[in-house]
Amino acid sequence: MEENQITVVQALDERDLLVKKIMSRTQKAQFVDLIRPKASVTWERRLTRTAFTAEAQSALQQIQDLIARYDRLSAAITVSNATTYLETSRGRMSVSCAIALRNRLRGGGPYGELTDFEGRLVKKMETSYREEQELQRRKNEAARREAAARKKGSASAKVVLLQNKGAAEKSKGPSGQEGSGAASVTEQRRQEKNEEMMRLFDPLDLKRMAEEIAAQRETLLMELETKIKIANATTYITV
């Protein structure tokens, strides 16, 4: 068979078409038929023994030729991908490595979605942030309810009145007016209340970090897609 040069893109397109052709030819092929002992033609195809034999052999040969073509294309594509190199933001790598990395990021490798590590990490970070925010809301709401309940207690009310009275007497100057003491007590209560409230401890700035990782993943995917396509369109193989 005469060999010719085609681009990897053409080889990939032809290989995809071959899959459909092989499946169609295989489904339509009829390799056996029924025939009566003294009949001159087969029962279903209505062909002579010689004609049916030639047709079955031809169908088989065509399918085998298509399979052989598919295998030659696959081998040539594999060799080309392993020996053609790309410069990427992840460094220099073969087209084969670039395809493997792209498939991993897509979650289409041998382990499926499990290998989309960045995507799963982003989801975990976002989920963790939302869950902690919700926990913070519930804890602070509970703390506010407890504080409100304490204020309604008579004992707490008496202590507050006594503290206010004592603070007021100490803060009065010669003119009998309250000074900075009352203000400091109010500020202290405000600080104590704030200290009871839960706050998010977010040393990684998680939302921003998740957005950065997601953006980097998408940028790398786009880069790999583009460079693989360009390589496939400009690299020739002999088949």
Side-chain angles (χ1 to χ4, degrees):
M1 184 178 291
E2 182 181 355
E3 293 185 341
N4 62 316
Q5 283 194 330
I6 59 176
T7 66
V8 175
V9 168
Q10 291 172 319
L12 290 169
D13 290 342
E14 183 181 346
R15 192 175 66 172
D16 290 343
L17 183 59
L18 281 171
V19 173
K20 297 177 181 179
K21 282 186 176 180
I22 293 169
M23 291 180 62
S24 176
R25 294 285 179 88
T26 302
Q27 290 172 352
K28 292 177 179 178
Q30 185 171 350
F31 301 113
V32 293
D33 201 344
L34 300 177
I35 193 169
R36 296 182 187 279
K38 295 182 179 181
S40 60
V41 296
T42 61
W43 185 70
E44 289 184 80
R45 296 288 296 149
R46 310 304 296 173
L47 296 172
T48 65
R49 296 169 188 263
T50 302
F52 182 83
T53 300
E55 184 179 88
Q57 289 175 337
S58 176
L60 177 60
Q61 188 61 53
Q62 288 176 15
I63 293 170
Q64 290 176 327
D65 288 344
L66 291 173
I67 293 172
R69 177 68 176 178
Y70 179 93
D71 289 340
R72 285 196 301 274
L73 286 169
S74 294
I77 291 168
T78 299
V79 171
S80 175
N81 288 345
T83 56
T84 303
Y85 285 82
L86 306 174
E87 296 295 336
T88 74
S89 58
R90 288 284 186 94
R92 190 168 184 262
M93 64 179 70
S94 68
V95 174
S96 294
C97 291
I99 290 172
L101 178 56
R102 179 200 62 187
N103 291 344
R104 182 186 73 72
L105 291 168
R106 283 178 173 178
Y111 297 100
E113 294 182 356
L114 293 177
T115 61
D116 180 13
F117 304 125
E118 291 82 357
R120 294 170 68 86
L121 176 60
V122 167
K123 288 181 181 178
K124 172 61 177 178
M125 295 168 81
E126 292 174 343
T127 300
S128 295
Y129 192 88
R130 288 195 301 269
E131 288 177 349
E132 289 303 313
Q133 271 192 323
E134 177 60 20
L135 181 59
Q136 176 197 27
R137 185 193 67 77
R138 293 200 307 268
K139 290 290 186 181
N140 288 344
E141 182 62 29
R144 282 190 286 270
R145 287 197 299 268
E146 290 175 3
R150 286 197 301 267
K151 287 183 180 180
K152 292 180 181 179
S154 59
S156 297
K158 289 180 181 179
V159 170
V160 171
L161 288 173
L162 290 173
Q163 288 178 341
N164 287 343
K165 182 178 179 181
E169 289 176 351
K170 290 181 180 179
S171 61
K172 287 181 180 180
S175 60
Q177 299 296 323
E178 294 186 358
S180 61
S184 63
V185 170
T186 303
E187 180 63 26
Q188 182 180 356
R189 289 175 185 161
R190 185 180 297 110
Q191 290 177 358
E192 290 174 352
K193 181 178 180 181
N194 290 337
E195 288 175 358
E196 292 178 356
M197 295 294 103
M198 290 286 188
R199 298 179 183 179
L200 281 177
F201 181 60
D202 186 13
L204 299 180
D205 195 359
L206 206 58
K207 289 185 69 176
R208 179 189 59 79
M209 183 66 69
E211 290 173 356
E212 286 184 3
I213 293 174
Q216 290 168 0
R217 174 184 174 277
E218 289 301 316
T219 299
L220 180 58
L221 258 177
M222 291 178 61
E223 177 191 7
L224 292 172
E225 289 281 8
T226 300
K227 293 192 173 182
I228 289 169
K229 287 180 180 178
I230 292 173
N232 288 345
T234 56
T235 302
Y236 284 81
I237 59 176
T238 303
V239 289

